């Protein structure tokens, strides 16, 4: 297989991960990009119907059989799961799959990592100490060398819009207290660097969103823009980044505004995700910037409410696989 496979972790086996992985393989088996699943063989076999699932021992073996069968490095669950019924008993396996996928990517055995969705509540119940996938990946790769501004920084990407986040899974009531000049600057530096190295944009342009309505109206509706965002934008410009802001978020995402920047740096989760999902609900991709490995994922969750029913759409996962392949190709070049 051209350039070797990607690794794809199974995610929560009680969610739609097994189903959309099988459907993604069916779409990509002829032309790729190829991938090898790290997860539970039986979960994939149960989701595949007549589809062939094959155990493999190495990513290279998975790449060789990809056009014939869905390859899986089988790290089995300790107890079976039921579609739509998440359980903390699967947490240890879910964590092991992520750790293994990261290890394969760090070692160069795969070109990058794609992760199917996980659910936080069952992991928290089992003692998982991280806010989510992104933060866990940052910890797993923290000791690896990386030339540039360091993440993890979450980006959501669709055709026509990329948004990156300064804070991610923070309760909205706590976001203001979590914002600092340093965090905004780091998110901007990581985003600009990734636009060059991972997206092929030689001279990236950033628009930095405000935090308050109307970007604070000169302090009348909050001072975060004056005390944090504006100083961070000045620092970014002093560091050579083409950045503007703070820009009111309600005027940042219409078509004419989007033509003026390559990524918007947003202060909190929904400020970044709502416009992306409005533009393309089915095809968005979550990209983790500023890591020594390539990592993408679908921009949706586990969808326990429809798991096992056969009609989950694989669009976002397919887009994530293709984007991981494109980023890996640029990095390899």
């Amino acid at each position: 297989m051209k350039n070797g496979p990607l690794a794809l972790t199974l995610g929560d086996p009680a969610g739609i991960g097994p189903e959309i992985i099988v459907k993604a393989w069916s779409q990509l088996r002829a032309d790729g990009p190829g991938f090898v699943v790290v997860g539970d063989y039986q979960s994939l076999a149960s989701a595949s119907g007549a589809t062939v699932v094959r155990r493999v021992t190495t990513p290279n073996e998975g790449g060789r059989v990809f056009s014939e069968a869905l390859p899986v490095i089988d790290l089995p669950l300790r107890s079976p799961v039921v579609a739509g019924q998440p359980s903390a008993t699967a947490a240890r396996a879910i964590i092991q799959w992520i750790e293994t996928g990261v290890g394969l990517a760090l070692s160069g055995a795969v070109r990058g990592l794609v992760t199917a969705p996980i659910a936080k509540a069952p992991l928290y119940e089992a003692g998982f100490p991280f806010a989510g996938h992104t933060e866990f990946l940052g910890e797993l790769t923290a000791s690896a060398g990386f030339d540039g501004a360091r993440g993890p920084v979450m980006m959501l990407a669709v055709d026509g819009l990329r948004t990156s986040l300064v804070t991610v899974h923070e309760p909205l009531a706590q976001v203001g207290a979590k914002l600092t000049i340093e965090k905004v600057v780091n998110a901007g530096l990581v985003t600009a660097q990734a636009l060059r190295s991972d997206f092929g944009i030689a001279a990236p342009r950033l628009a930095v969103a405000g935090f308050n309505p109307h970007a604070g109206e000169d302090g009348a509706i909050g001072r975060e823009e004056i005390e944090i965002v504006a100083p961070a934008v000045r620092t970014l410009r002093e560091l050579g980044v083409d950045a503007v802001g703070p820009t009111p978020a309600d005027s940042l995402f219409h078509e004419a505004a989007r033509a003026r920047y390559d990524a918007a740096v947003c202060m909190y989760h929904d400020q970044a995700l709502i416009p992306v999902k409005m533009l393309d609900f089915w095809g968005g991709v979550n990209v983790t910037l500023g890591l020594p490995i390539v990592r993408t994922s679908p921009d949706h969750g586990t969808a326990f409410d429809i798991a096992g029913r056969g009609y989950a759409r694989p669009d976002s996962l397919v887009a994530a696989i293709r984007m991981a392949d494109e980023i890996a190709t640029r990095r390899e070049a």
Side-chain angles (χ1 to χ4, degrees):
M1 176 167 295
K2 180 183 177 181
N3 297 328
L6 302 162
L8 171 54
T9 54
L10 183 61
D12 194 310
I16 61 172
E19 179 183 342
I20 61 174
I21 287 171
V22 170
K23 290 178 176 178
W25 172 76
S26 296
Q27 287 190 27
L28 298 173
R29 59 180 297 190
D31 300 316
F35 58 85
V36 57
V37 181
V38 180
D40 177 58
Y41 171 89
Q42 190 56 50
S43 296
L44 289 164
S46 297
S48 65
T51 301
V52 176
V53 182
R54 187 176 303 176
R55 290 184 179 90
V56 296
T57 57
T58 67
N60 282 341
E61 182 184 358
R64 289 194 296 270
V65 306
F66 184 77
S67 62
E68 306 165 7
L70 173 58
V72 55
I73 296 175
D74 186 24
L75 301 175
L77 290 161
R78 297 179 181 178
S79 57
V81 300
V82 178
Q85 298 181 23
S87 170
T89 61
R92 181 58 253 171
I94 294 169
I95 293 167
Q96 182 188 20
W97 300 335
I98 298 168
E99 292 170 338
T100 301
V102 169
L104 291 171
L106 284 172
S107 71
V110 296
R111 302 174 62 231
L113 178 66
V114 182
T115 59
I118 61 173
K120 298 173 184 62
L123 294 179
Y124 294 163
E125 186 180 339
F128 185 68
F130 300 95
H133 247 139
T134 300
E135 296 81 0
F136 188 34
L137 292 167
E139 177 66 21
L140 290 175
T141 60
S143 62
F146 185 66
D147 183 16
R150 183 70 193 230
V153 168
M154 179 186 289
M155 172 182 278
L156 277 293
V158 294
D159 284 345
L161 179 61
R162 304 178 190 90
T163 60
S164 61
L165 288 79
V166 176
T167 67
V168 185
H169 297 116
E170 303 289 352
L172 191 57
Q174 299 176 18
V175 170
K178 299 284 187 180
L179 289 177
T180 65
I181 295 171
E182 292 76 15
K183 286 181 179 178
V184 177
V185 169
N186 188 67
L189 287 174
V190 171
T191 302
Q193 172 182 285
L195 289 172
R196 287 189 293 267
S197 64
D198 296 348
F199 292 90
I201 299 171
R205 302 162 299 162
L206 302 184
V208 182
F211 173 65
N212 295 294
H214 307 295
E217 283 198 7
D218 296 322
I221 318 178
R223 294 191 58 81
E224 284 83 0
E225 286 77 13
I226 293 171
E227 297 174 359
I228 298 170
V229 184
V233 172
R234 287 196 296 271
T235 300
L236 286 168
R237 295 185 67 84
E238 290 167 0
L239 293 171
V241 176
D242 183 354
V244 297
T247 303
D250 65 356
S251 60
L252 188 56
F253 299 111
H254 63 89
E255 186 175 5
R258 287 187 277 114
R260 296 194 290 267
Y261 60 82
D262 300 299
V265 179
C266 298
M267 297 301 110
Y268 56 91
H269 185 276
D270 285 9
Q271 190 180 61
L273 271 69
I274 288 173
V276 167
K277 293 190 177 187
M278 284 292 292
L279 279 178
D280 186 354
F281 183 77
W282 299 110
V285 178
N286 178 348
V287 191
T288 306
L289 312 180
L291 296 183
I293 64 171
V294 176
R295 183 264 178 154
T296 66
S297 74
D299 73 344
H300 58 71
T302 50
F304 292 124
D305 57 324
I306 63 169
R309 299 187 183 184
Y311 53 79
R313 292 178 55 159
D315 309 46
S316 184
L317 178 59
V318 170
I321 293 167
R322 286 177 170 152
M323 186 172 289
D325 174 70
E326 292 166 2
I327 293 172
T329 299
R330 291 191 184 99
R331 288 196 184 186
E332 290 158 1

